[in-house]
Amino acid sequence: MQKTLRDSAALRWLVLILISSLLFSTYWFYDFYGGIKGLMERGMGISSEEYGRIMSSTTYANVVGMIILGGIILDRWGIRLAGLVFGGLSFLGAIISAAAVAGWFGDDKSTMLIWSIVGRIIFGIGMEVVCVMVTRTIVKWFMGYEMALAMALNIGFGRLGTAMGMAVAPDLAAGGFISPAFSFAAILIGISLVFFIIYIFFDIKIDKQRAESGIVTEEEVDEEKFRFADFKKLITNRSFIYIALLCMVFYSAVFPLLAYAPDLLVNKYGFSYEMGSDGEFLIFGSAILGTAFIFVLLLIFGLSFSMVPRAFKSNTHKLLSFLVISTLFLGYVYVLRDVFSEWLLNGPKTASLIPMGTILFTPIFGSIVDKKGKAATLMMIGSALLVFAYLSLSVFNHVYLGYLGLISLGIAFSLVPAAMWPAVARIVAENRLGTAYGTMFTFQNWGLAAFFWGIGALLDFVNRYRLADIEAGLTNYDYTIPVLMLALLGVISAWLAYKLKQADKLQGYGLENPHTSN
Ligand SMILES: C[C@H](N)C(=O)N[C@@H](CCCCN)C(=O)O
């Protein structure tokens, strides 16, 4: 058969980098607010509830079916046009948000708040459909090749965006001016759109090649398309209902927490928001470049740990490669020991290590699920870890228990997605996967809408008699009750995972069996 562009490994990986840049920049914009929550409150004069309202507004269009509509539009228009339109919408939303906090629409609190919400709503429409579009593009280029690896790397780019956004935003907002952090994040989306436009040339070329060699084109492949008949079948399937509810409850306990984690660490343990000069690693005199370099190296180590030993067949080579990477990693930690010890006392930098940790753990757990199965059991364990994490971060006050809680959260955030997304592919036939993802992301956004806002609202409510003192810097927010509420979500997640395990026993999807065919 005639070769196409996707038969070249170099081109496949180049395509992955080009399209993953969109995930990197949109995840950055989604999560960088967490690193500057305190600065936003002071700079814009908003409360925690209003901060929560801004974060929650990302989901407003999606809770009424925008992801599903976006999926249908993606089916009709194809990757190129839909990618440009929805990537463009996320860019537009980011520009509006940046203009809002810069005071372009007016510098009074309510104008800034309203336009920040408008910006986040538009951004949220674009971001979720971009997520679906990027997954579709990976399938198009990697089907029959290294698809699982490509998906893991792709999510890794997203997590890197989350981590760097949270960690770098306070450096960009030095001196308390939040506007540069917003403009930078918006420019990143603009740059990734340029990368996407470069990708379009490859997309046009491969479609031409596939048409010439008689391979079905994207428009003819209806495997991933949204269909209402499929939707009806899905929402009457017991196992799918439990996994979709688990997706909603689990992500509601994790994504919103990330938006508050730096502030939680600052308020509960007295961590700093802004980094002292001891914690700065300068490259060409720039702390931002230095932080970016540290994160990129962490990403390379994370991926090497999880991918390189697996690539060898013999156990000796596996062990040897693991030892070499471990030695290099220890050297890296040793050289940067002073920087890291400062980071572990800084709210945004410490919180950013949660998504960074997932880059290491997600592929490891993914391979455990592939080899040993036990997907539903692992989802139960991941959910139970959430309960431990949130009890450690709420009712106890010891900082070491806090670190342990953060590590458990990082493991849970790796374990559940690693077991959940491949499990969906077992419950749902391949030609209904697009519909299944659209439905699950919609459920997920319902939960996110409630909890992005709910944590902030509850925080203001339980601290209502101390708000004036908090604003004056005389005392701190007490996060105990909002975090305990998330522990309850962990309990519900564990129960849903248990119900999923039971439903699977009845329906026989084999979620507990290894993925021997993969
Ligand atoms: C943000 C998006 N709705 C989401 O939930 N993303 C997941 C990954 C989904 C992968 C599906 N193939 C995440 O954990 O970031």
Side-chain angles (χ1 to χ4, degrees):
M1 193 189 291
Q2 196 186 323
K3 285 204 180 276
T4 66
L5 292 186
R6 69 184 217 109
D7 296 311
S8 150
L11 274 180
R12 278 198 306 280
W13 294 112
L14 174 66
V15 160
L16 185 80
I17 291 171
L18 289 175
I19 55 163
S20 295
S21 70
L22 260 177
L23 218 64
F24 172 81
S25 65
T26 50
Y27 271 57
W28 178 304
F29 194 87
Y30 195 84
D31 289 313
F32 85 91
Y33 288 50
I36 52 168
K37 173 180 178 280
L39 296 179
M40 281 176 72
E41 284 174 12
R42 284 195 288 282
M44 296 168 69
I46 55 172
S47 64
S48 281
E49 184 274 331
E50 285 161 334
Y51 168 80
R53 221 185 300 165
I54 295 174
M55 298 309 289
S56 166
S57 62
T58 323
T59 67
Y60 287 174
N62 299 327
V63 297
V64 291
M66 193 57 222
I67 304 173
I68 291 174
L69 184 62
I72 295 170
I73 292 174
L74 177 60
D75 292 339
R76 297 252 163 92
W77 294 354
I79 287 170
R80 298 193 286 270
L81 185 56
L84 275 180
V85 168
F86 287 96
L89 276 177
S90 57
F91 186 38
L92 176 68
I95 291 175
I96 293 174
S97 302
V101 300
W104 284 16
F105 302 111
D107 56 10
D108 58 301
K109 179 186 125 173
S110 67
T111 308
M112 285 202 274
L113 182 63
I114 289 170
W115 282 101
S116 295
I117 288 176
V118 171
R120 281 293 284 199
I121 294 175
I122 297 173
F123 165 77
I125 297 174
M127 190 257 183
E128 289 285 0
V129 183
V130 160
C131 242
V132 181
M133 182 277 294
V134 167
T135 307
R136 285 272 296 273
T137 312
I138 293 176
V139 174
K140 179 173 182 174
W141 284 80
F142 284 86
M143 179 70 98
Y145 289 103
E146 317 82 347
M147 198 151 85
L149 180 61
M151 294 251 181
L153 278 171
N154 179 247
I155 293 190
F157 272 101
R159 297 278 185 265
L160 182 68
T162 294
M164 285 181 69
M166 283 163 75
V168 172
D171 298 335
L172 289 162
F177 298 107
I178 55 173
S179 188
F182 279 79
S183 312
F184 186 85
I187 289 169
L188 275 183
I189 302 183
I191 294 172
S192 66
L193 266 178
V194 174
F195 283 4
F196 183 72
I197 291 169
I198 298 173
Y199 164 71
I200 285 179
F201 290 102
F202 292 101
D203 198 82
I204 293 172
K205 177 90 182 155
I206 197 172
D207 275 358
K208 229 168 134 191
Q209 288 180 332
R210 293 169 109 191
E212 279 163 12
S213 55
I215 304 169
V216 280
T217 63
E218 186 202 330
E219 284 68 30
E220 288 160 340
V221 178
D222 71 349
E223 284 167 356
E224 298 268 320
K225 292 187 175 176
F226 184 91
R227 283 182 289 235
F228 280 102
D230 292 343
F231 178 69
K232 260 172 64 188
K233 269 189 207 149
L234 280 176
I235 56 166
T236 48
N237 177 330
R238 210 177 247 256
S239 293
F240 181 76
I241 292 171
Y242 286 127
I243 203 162
L245 288 177
L246 177 63
C247 172
M248 176 173 88
V249 178
F250 175 81
Y251 277 102
S252 298
V254 178
F255 281 156
L257 189 274
L258 291 180
Y260 293 86
D263 197 55
L264 160 73
L265 297 174
V266 169
N267 281 273
K268 189 174 172 76
Y269 303 111
F271 285 17
S272 59
Y273 250 122
E274 284 177 50
M275 200 72 228
S277 56
D278 285 353
E280 282 179 349
F281 179 71
L282 302 180
I283 289 188
F284 302 125
S286 160
I288 295 168
L289 273 184
T291 305
F293 178 73
I294 291 175
F295 273 100
V296 171
L297 278 186
L298 263 180
L299 172 77
I300 292 171
F301 276 116
L303 295 176
S304 310
F305 270 122
S306 46
M307 313 280 172
V308 176
R310 274 204 293 177
F312 291 103
K313 286 223 165 71
S314 94
N315 282 342
T316 321
H317 286 128
K318 276 186 204 293
L319 185 69
L320 259 178
S321 62
F322 179 78
L323 286 176
V324 170
I325 301 166
S326 303
T327 311
L328 289 172
F329 182 66
L330 287 176
Y332 158 84
V333 173
Y334 182 76
V335 170
L336 291 170
R337 64 192 180 286
D338 293 336
V339 174
F340 283 135
S341 56
E342 282 295 315
W343 278 28
L344 288 174
L345 295 172
N346 176 267
K349 296 281 192 299
T350 304
S352 70
L353 296 176
I354 307 169
M356 268 332 280
T358 65
I359 295 174
L360 170 64
F361 289 120
T362 308
I364 294 176
F365 292 138
S367 114
I368 293 176
V369 173
D370 274 347
K371 288 191 188 126
K372 309 260 182 245
K374 305 280 175 221
T377 308
L378 290 174
M379 285 186 247
M380 281 167 64
I381 296 173
S383 305
L385 277 172
L386 269 193
V387 182
F388 171 76
Y390 290 144
L391 287 179
S392 313
L393 289 163
S394 58
V395 287
F396 299 103
N397 278 315
H398 202 289
V399 69
Y400 287 118
L401 208 52
Y403 288 132
L404 205 60
L406 292 175
I407 293 170
S408 309
L409 179 57
I411 296 176
F413 191 23
S414 314
L415 196 47
V416 176
M420 176 185 287
W421 297 110
V424 180
R426 293 201 142 188
I427 296 170
V428 177
E430 205 178 330
N431 63 357
R432 281 196 223 133
L433 268 181
T435 314
Y437 284 143
T439 310
M440 287 176 75
F441 283 174
T442 303
F443 277 28
Q444 182 196 55
N445 271 259
W446 292 347
L448 297 181
F451 285 93
F452 268 126
W453 171 79
I455 298 175
L458 193 56
L459 197 58
D460 274 352
F461 179 74
V462 294
N463 290 284
R464 62 193 176 285
Y465 301 120
R466 303 141 42 95
L467 285 177
D469 283 352
I470 293 170
E471 263 169 46
L474 300 174
T475 186
N476 288 338
Y477 278 114
D478 180 355
Y479 264 91
T480 309
I481 303 289
V483 179
L484 260 183
M485 170 177 75
L486 300 181
L488 188 65
L489 290 186
V491 175
I492 300 173
S493 295
W495 178 76
L496 286 168
Y498 169 70
K499 294 300 286 179
L500 173 66
K501 191 172 166 174
Q502 280 188 324
D504 174 54
K505 257 189 202 154
L506 283 176
Q507 294 182 282
Y509 293 118
L511 298 189
E512 293 289 276
N513 301 337
H515 283 222
T516 39
S517 57
N518 295 350

